[in-house]
Amino acid sequence: MNTYILRWNPAHSSYKIDRHLEIISHIDRGEYPSFFNWSIFEWEKLKAGDIFILLQVGTDCDGIAMVGKFSSPPYEAESWRNNGEKIHYADMNILDAFNLMDEIGLLALNFEEEFPEIDWHSGHSGTLVPKNVAKKLIECLVAVMMRRGRWNENAKKYFGLVHDKKPKIIKTRVHSFALCALKQIDSKNKNFYHWGEEAENLGFEMDFGDSLCEVFPFAMDSHTELAKVIGEIDDIALLGSAIYGKWRYTTYWQLGFAMSDDEKAWFRIALERLAELSA
């Protein structure tokens, strides 16, 4: 997955300090925004599942104000500046947000010397960070927050710093899952809520479709894009992990809303191919 630096100047942004503090208070109670997005400058390679680090800039306490992952591909919309221009945005799933008046360990002055590649006080919002720099920065951030007691070992898994050993994929079990899931797509009882647990038990990795997109860049976007390449997908683990990632987006980031017609069609195409490969 890639990592992007977002930048936020409270004096100029439509996202104000009061809103930021409100979000922090909700996160502290385990409540997260149902919708949150940000403008992206270097949007071309961004995918759902990529990491974002939001820097507060232009203040007396610049530093890391928010972290999480993108939950959508980039899309074009009217600029937040209301100047008639269109820019690219991506939706976001917030992991944590910080009040830099309190979290002095996240101030820019703690990172500037070690990470001179990053402009900690100005620049475009949504710039891609080199992978070696991103990994080092994330490791540093996780260490700081674990020392503070705010994060635990799960943060390492969230950012891909450690990987659990997955069980061996057994075709007969995968085939059974695919056939059952196909029957449940139109269920009014929303039986698809348990797909994630089953996919995890089958050995699939919830990588937000990253692995599939590395081979077929637009396959996660819509059922029409998936249909173009489905015949070329012959890796059960690759397809199963993509299904797991799509399920996560549908049931979690959309707050459990019913599947759209496009999502139903996407899952049918993917599950039919999974059943075929595992037969």
Side-chain angles (χ1 to χ4, degrees):
M1 67 185 79
N2 288 322
T3 300
Y4 289 81
I5 292 293
L6 308 179
R7 292 180 175 87
W8 166 49
N9 187 326
H12 301 149
S13 175
S14 59
Y15 178 63
K16 300 302 183 184
I17 284 285
D18 287 348
R19 174 58 175 152
H20 186 65
L21 296 178
E22 180 185 357
I23 285 177
I24 292 171
S25 68
H26 280 283
I27 289 174
D28 288 343
R29 297 195 299 270
E31 303 167 357
Y32 294 82
S34 59
F35 178 78
F36 199 83
N37 68 357
W38 209 268
S39 59
I40 309 297
F41 182 66
E42 296 178 353
W43 56 270
E44 292 86 353
K45 295 182 180 180
L46 189 148
K47 295 176 294 196
D50 284 344
I51 295 167
F52 72 82
I53 299 175
L54 176 67
L55 301 185
Q56 180 174 313
V57 300
T59 69
D60 293 332
C61 50
D62 290 356
I64 298 174
M66 186 185 292
V67 294
K69 291 182 179 178
F70 293 106
S71 59
S72 79
Y75 55 88
E76 196 174 57
E78 295 293 333
S79 171
W80 58 271
R81 297 183 179 88
N82 295 318
N83 57 7
E85 295 181 358
K86 288 192 174 182
I87 58 176
H88 286 87
Y89 295 88
D91 297 341
M92 301 150 69
N93 180 35
I94 301 171
L95 172 67
D96 212 344
F98 314 106
N99 180 357
L100 293 177
M101 296 293 289
D102 299 328
E103 295 287 354
I104 59 175
L106 297 180
L107 293 177
L109 58 87
N110 297 303
F111 299 93
E112 289 173 303
E113 184 175 349
E114 191 170 359
F115 300 96
E117 305 90 345
I118 297 172
D119 188 336
W120 293 88
H121 302 284
S122 63
H124 290 293
S125 182
T127 54
L128 182 60
V129 183
K131 286 187 178 295
N132 62 320
V133 177
K135 183 175 184 295
K136 186 178 176 183
L137 175 59
I138 291 167
E139 287 174 342
C140 185
L141 173 61
V142 169
V144 169
M145 298 314 294
M146 287 183 66
R147 285 197 301 269
R148 289 273 289 104
R150 190 172 177 93
W151 293 355
N152 56 31
E153 289 290 333
N154 289 330
K156 295 180 180 180
K157 297 179 183 179
Y158 179 89
F159 289 111
L161 300 179
V162 295
H163 300 280
D164 290 335
K165 185 177 180 181
K166 297 295 180 180
K168 181 180 178 180
I169 292 176
I170 301 173
K171 280 190 173 183
T172 54
R173 293 178 58 203
V174 172
H175 189 69
S176 177
F177 163 72
L179 294 180
C180 289
L182 278 167
K183 295 178 182 178
Q184 294 165 350
I185 289 176
D186 292 307
S187 171
K188 294 182 179 179
N189 295 323
K190 297 184 178 180
N191 290 333
F192 54 83
Y193 277 135
H194 66 274
W195 288 6
E197 182 179 354
E198 292 190 17
E200 182 80 19
N201 292 336
L202 288 170
F204 297 138
E205 182 179 356
M206 208 286 288
D207 68 350
F208 303 92
D210 281 0
S211 299
L212 183 64
C213 287
E214 286 179 5
V215 186
F216 305 105
F218 305 106
M220 297 293 290
D221 292 355
S222 68
H223 79 278
T224 54
E225 292 293 338
L226 179 63
K228 294 175 184 177
V229 300
I230 193 65
E232 301 177 51
I233 301 174
D234 56 8
D235 186 323
I236 290 177
L238 184 71
L239 183 57
S241 295
I243 291 170
Y244 190 1
K246 189 78 168 180
W247 167 87
R248 176 68 180 230
Y249 175 78
T250 302
T251 60
Y252 182 77
W253 287 311
Q254 298 192 153
L255 300 181
F257 294 165
M259 292 185 195
S260 67
D261 289 342
D262 180 78
E263 287 166 338
K264 289 181 180 180
W266 192 98
F267 280 117
R268 283 195 191 93
I269 293 169
L271 288 165
E272 285 172 357
R273 180 60 172 167
L274 189 65
E276 181 183 352
L277 292 174
S278 58

